[in-house]
Amino acid sequence: SRTDTGTNLSMGGTKSVETKGLVSILEDYLETDKHKSPFADEALKAALPTYFTVQLFDKGTVLFEATTASDRLFLIEHGTVSIVIPPASQKAISAVRSPSFQGEPEPLETKRLQKISGGGICGELGFFLERPQVFSAVASDHCRVWTITRESFAEMNKGHPQLAILLQTALLRSLSLTNSQTLETHGDIWHI
């Protein structure tokens, strides 16, 4: 696998990038009616390419590596991204959990934690916490992804605070849904 920034799609000078996919992702998380969408405001919608970049990632491309803090958020328009724990991270986790383990450890393989498809978001933990993660994100197939860097996010907060609030709300909903799904997957804790 390789770490890559993907292929940036041209902004075409003053021509606006088609933001329909990005708007759709944000509206889905905001659970807005298309007729009451905050993106009905053309000026707000036109600001999106100022902060976001659309990128294409080939299968096998690493969007962010374990042991690094993701410097951007990834909003997946189409395709699938796998969140995986590589063997080196598994060894580090095992050493913390069982520091007195003696003997030969079993050979480790990369483990998939989560599969994120079109409409999903990843990279938020490293992006906001600004600390290394134990997992990587790898394109499982050809992906079209909208990205925003920390720098662009800070600029958005100053230049378009309403847009920043909408993005933050979408991210909170994404994280809440992920947490809810995790709890449901480990449902045995509900039967205490």
Side-chain angles (χ1 to χ4, degrees):
S1 66
R2 65 189 190 286
T3 302
D4 195 343
T5 56
T7 303
N8 288 345
L9 297 182
S10 172
M11 296 294 181
T14 58
K15 186 179 172 187
S16 174
V17 170
E18 178 56 54
T19 58
K20 184 178 179 182
L22 176 58
V23 168
S24 177
I25 293 168
L26 294 171
E27 285 176 337
D28 284 350
Y29 280 109
L30 297 170
E31 296 182 352
T32 60
D33 180 325
K34 302 277 186 219
H35 301 290
K36 296 179 185 176
S37 170
F39 298 104
D41 176 348
E42 290 298 320
L44 192 63
K45 188 161 61 173
L48 288 170
T50 304
Y51 306 107
F52 286 90
T53 302
V54 64
Q55 297 179 279
L56 301 177
F57 294 98
D58 292 328
K59 179 180 180 176
T61 302
V62 177
L63 283 64
F64 59 83
E65 288 274 359
T67 72
T68 64
S70 176
D71 66 345
R72 63 193 67 224
L73 289 171
F74 300 86
L75 290 80
I76 304 159
E77 183 174 335
H78 70 72
T80 306
V81 172
S82 292
I83 303 300
V84 299
I85 297 182
S89 292
Q90 292 176 51
K91 287 178 186 176
I93 292 168
S94 293
V96 170
R97 287 187 180 164
S98 305
S100 62
F101 176 76
Q102 301 287 325
E104 282 298 310
E106 292 182 31
L108 299 173
E109 295 180 12
T110 298
K111 290 184 181 179
R112 186 176 76 199
L113 294 176
Q114 185 180 20
K115 196 172 179 180
I116 304 170
S117 56
I121 300 173
C122 65
E124 64 276 27
L125 295 178
F127 182 85
F128 285 111
L129 298 178
E130 296 185 45
R131 64 180 186 208
Q133 303 157 129
V134 296
F135 47 84
S136 300
V138 181
S140 300
D141 51 29
H142 182 76
C143 298
R144 180 180 165 108
V145 179
W146 290 88
T147 64
I148 184 168
T149 63
R150 278 192 202 102
E151 182 181 339
S152 290
F153 185 66
E155 290 171 12
M156 179 191 290
N157 275 294
K158 292 177 187 169
H160 287 89
Q162 180 187 7
L163 187 55
I165 290 169
L166 291 171
L167 177 58
Q168 290 168 352
T169 302
L171 290 168
L172 284 171
R173 286 183 175 269
S174 171
L175 288 168
S176 296
L177 287 168
T178 300
N179 286 337
S180 174
Q181 290 168 350
T182 300
L183 289 172
E184 288 172 10
T185 300
H186 302 287
D188 55 339
I189 65 169
W190 295 110
H191 304 289
I192 298 176

